[in-house]
Amino acid sequence: MTERENLVTVDEMPQHEGQEVTIRGWLYNSRSGGSIAFLLIRDGTGIVQAVVAEDDVSAEVWETAQNLTQESSVIVAGLVNEDPRSPGGYELHLRDVQTVQLAEEYPLALKEHGVDFLLDNRHLWLRTPRQVAILRLRDFIMARLEEFLRDRGFSRVDTPILTPNACEGTTTLFETEYFGDPAYLTQSGQLYSEATCAALGKVYCFSPAFRAEKSSTRRHLIEFWMLEPEMAFFTHEDNLDLQEKMIDYVITQVLQKKGELLEELDRDKDPLTFERPYPRITYDEAVDILHEEGLSIQWGDDFGAPHETAIAERFDRPVFVERFPAECKAFYMEPDPQRPEVVLAADLLAPEGYGEIIGGSQRIDDYDLLLEKIREFGLPEEEFDWYLDLRRYGSVPHSGFGLGIERLISWIAGLDHLREAIPFPRLLNRMRP
RNA sequence: UCCACGGUAGCUCAACGGCAGAGCGUCCGGCUGUUAACCGGAGGGCUGCAGGUUCGAAUCCUGCCCGUGGAGCCA
């Protein structure tokens, strides 16, 4: 078999109608009918049906085709034909087949499976058309986000995964050991990005973040990816404008260029079809809405998931909730000069119950105020010496935000759980595969 | 940590105090246009673990383990 002759991928087949081509991939499924057989072959770009008729091929090829097992790796050659009876509209009239490896009995049948079984077999589950579509969408979304930022003068500056202290001192961290000293897996690169933005102006870090919370919900991962831009000289308003434009850009690009992925995922496009601007409401207005909805909340309480959903349901597009009470937010957030009891922070809530996809704020740039806050929050002052230095040497107003990649993907793809938005999810008590 | 639901064949599930079953997958046989193909046959079980109640437990009770969803926390 001249296996490299006219080597094509499944998605390229329409351009090779009437030609003899070679395709390399895996057997997705097969059906046989006496002296005719249908092999569904996937190669990562799509699935094509290969037709084998006993009369048209050698006995050896016929025998090989008959005995292929699910997910066996193969190289097939044949003639490309347009045929409405074939899924995808094109099929391959098989002339030759070569088995690369004959697969053992495959654990995943082509039918419904339970979550536990699928997660145990995540390394194989990834081969299904739905998971392939999600991962392609993830790749596209990540690329567009970085493209958006780079086009606006941002540089990617990475931040450390191993850190000596809790960045914000709130959530539970994974502890490890650093040559005898305690160390922690990062939960955010933000504090470091505040340093690099004073060096480069506009930066972002893009890395995994770790939260050792015993969270077991569809909106949480133990290890997730966070994109965190940080901008010198950006006010709270500048910050919200950037967030809005970035989300708008990604959604528009997905709708324009990757509609077929949304269709593969049965994602209704209508809820994604909206325009800027996104509504901006204050924390105070949000509390009023929640009271109207009959939810119990007092001024000063942070929102829980039911609260976020109730607020988001009032709007047909993402909504900013801004100016939170200082006591329910992080220590580094700049107080509103008009109302020092609230901070210049905002959460962006996605529609359809997908919750908070962005959390951001203007950062305190005054040395004395920041030191006061560190003490007020009971944080170890000595650990923040370098962070305080940023307020001693050319301090400027600056702002930034953190975007949860898997939450954004889940919303755009219409997933019902974050675990499908990352190749190998780390969940409560689940670290394999 | 708390609350709810669950654990039976490789997978998805039924049986709910009285012989442990079906569909799918696998294997064998049949079929020249199949669409998660179809038809016939075969193999497949410590009913999560330990104890208790009972003539008899997959089924009822207690404890534990594991999973799922949610709360809290957050992106």
Side-chain angles (χ1 to χ4, degrees):
Chain A
M1 177 173 196
T2 52
E3 61 181 64
R4 290 182 186 279
E5 192 177 346
N6 210 5
L7 188 65
V8 302
T9 51
V10 169
D11 61 337
E12 296 169 337
M13 283 191 56
Q15 300 142 42
H16 296 271
E17 155 96 57
Q19 293 175 20
E20 188 87 8
V21 301
T22 300
I23 285 181
R24 302 186 290 193
W26 296 262
L27 185 70
Y28 180 66
N29 194 14
S30 68
R31 296 180 273 269
S32 78
S35 51
I36 189 168
F38 302 92
L39 309 179
L40 291 178
I41 294 164
R42 58 165 197 88
D43 74 343
T45 71
I47 296 177
V48 66
Q49 174 169 286
V51 189
V52 202
E54 188 173 10
D55 296 343
D56 297 347
V57 295
S58 70
E60 189 191 346
V61 168
W62 175 248
E63 186 70 12
T64 303
Q66 289 272 292
N67 291 329
L68 285 175
T69 52
Q70 187 185 357
E71 286 299 319
S72 285
S73 40
V74 292
I75 299 171
V76 295
L79 190 66
V80 179
N81 258 15
E82 194 169 358
D83 194 313
R85 292 173 296 186
S86 176
Y90 288 83
E91 63 184 15
L92 190 73
H93 279 265
L94 192 127
R95 176 181 53 76
D96 199 3
V97 58
Q98 180 186 322
T99 308
V100 179
Q101 192 251 340
L102 192 66
E104 295 174 27
E105 185 180 339
Y106 196 62
L108 299 193
L110 297 175
K111 57 170 296 199
E112 292 293 324
H113 289 291
V115 179
D116 186 40
F117 181 75
L118 287 171
L119 286 170
D120 283 343
N121 290 281
R122 181 61 173 168
H123 53 299
L124 303 176
W125 184 23
L126 291 173
R127 301 182 183 193
T128 60
R130 176 181 168 82
Q131 299 306 315
V132 168
I134 293 170
L135 293 183
R136 286 204 185 280
L137 190 61
R138 177 185 170 100
D139 172 61
F140 183 80
I141 288 170
M142 286 179 159
R144 296 293 80 70
L145 288 169
E146 294 208 67
E147 175 181 87
F148 173 89
L149 292 170
R150 285 167 189 279
D151 286 351
R152 279 158 189 76
F154 282 76
S155 296
R156 174 169 172 166
V157 182
D158 293 317
T159 51
I161 304 291
L162 289 168
T163 60
N165 65 305
C167 279
E168 305 180 18
T170 51
T171 57
T172 320
L173 301 176
F174 281 102
E175 187 171 346
T176 179
E177 188 241 71
Y178 198 83
F179 303 114
D181 290 330
Y184 304 90
L185 300 185
T186 182
Q187 59 166 333
S188 165
Q190 180 203 313
L191 302 193
Y192 296 98
S193 286
E194 288 186 54
T196 60
C197 93
L200 288 87
K202 288 189 283 190
V203 301
Y204 67 96
C205 61
F206 196 7
S207 89
F210 306 87
R211 306 273 165 93
E213 295 287 343
K214 304 239 173 187
S215 303
S216 179
T217 83
R218 68 183 70 191
R219 295 180 310 279
H220 291 87
L221 293 170
I222 302 300
E223 175 182 314
F224 65 99
W225 282 70
M226 191 155 60
L227 177 72
E228 295 177 280
E230 193 73 31
M231 299 78 68
F233 296 104
F234 265 51
T235 64
H236 175 64
E237 297 301 322
D238 297 333
N239 197 13
L240 297 197
D241 286 343
L242 182 73
Q243 294 170 36
E244 185 177 293
K245 285 174 182 157
M246 187 170 83
I247 296 300
D248 182 71
Y249 179 72
V250 172
I251 302 275
T252 303
Q253 288 285 305
V254 169
L255 289 172
Q256 282 178 4
K257 295 178 181 167
K258 292 294 170 185
E260 78 277 5
L261 291 179
L262 298 181
E263 282 151 26
E264 172 79 42
L265 296 166
D266 290 323
R267 172 50 157 152
D268 183 6
K269 292 175 194 163
D270 288 346
L272 296 173
T273 311
F274 47 78
E275 294 186 349
R276 296 171 48 213
Y278 303 163
R280 297 176 187 186
I281 64 171
T282 62
Y283 172 89
D284 298 15
E285 289 164 340
V287 168
D288 289 343
I289 288 175
L290 292 172
H291 285 154
E292 284 171 31
E293 297 291 332
L295 286 158
S296 71
I297 187 163
Q298 288 189 326
W299 199 95
D301 293 344
D302 203 356
F303 301 140
H307 302 115
E308 287 182 355
T309 302
I311 295 162
E313 274 173 358
R314 287 284 185 106
F315 304 94
D316 65 348
R317 63 195 74 187
V319 54
F320 286 106
V321 181
E322 59 174 347
R323 293 168 207 269
F324 285 82
E327 65 252 42
C328 64
K329 287 289 176 184
F331 74 94
Y332 49 71
M333 294 182 176
E334 177 77 15
D336 184 342
Q338 259 73 54
R339 285 179 69 195
E341 72 274 20
V342 300
V343 289
L344 296 175
D347 289 348
L348 183 63
L349 306 181
E352 301 172 84
Y354 282 94
E356 184 183 343
I357 53 172
I358 288 179
S361 69
Q362 186 171 331
R363 325 302 192 188
I364 293 173
D365 56 77
D366 180 75
Y367 180 91
D368 294 329
L369 178 59
L370 185 60
L371 183 60
E372 184 187 318
K373 289 282 184 181
I374 287 171
R375 289 172 177 164
E376 196 179 299
F377 277 72
L379 297 169
E381 205 174 309
E382 63 282 4
E383 292 288 350
F384 290 92
D385 53 351
W386 65 266
Y387 187 64
L388 283 160
D389 267 2
L390 303 174
R391 277 75 182 169
R392 297 169 70 203
Y393 307 109
S395 189
V396 297
H398 62 290
S399 301
F401 62 93
L403 165 71
I405 292 295
E406 286 81 14
R407 285 195 180 167
L408 177 65
I409 294 166
S410 288
W411 167 44
I412 293 175
L415 307 184
D416 58 13
H417 200 300
L418 244 53
R419 63 185 163 225
E420 283 188 89
I422 187 166
F424 294 95
R426 266 61 185 116
L427 301 164
L428 187 59
N429 299 328
R430 190 184 279 282
M431 200 172 59
R432 293 171 57 86

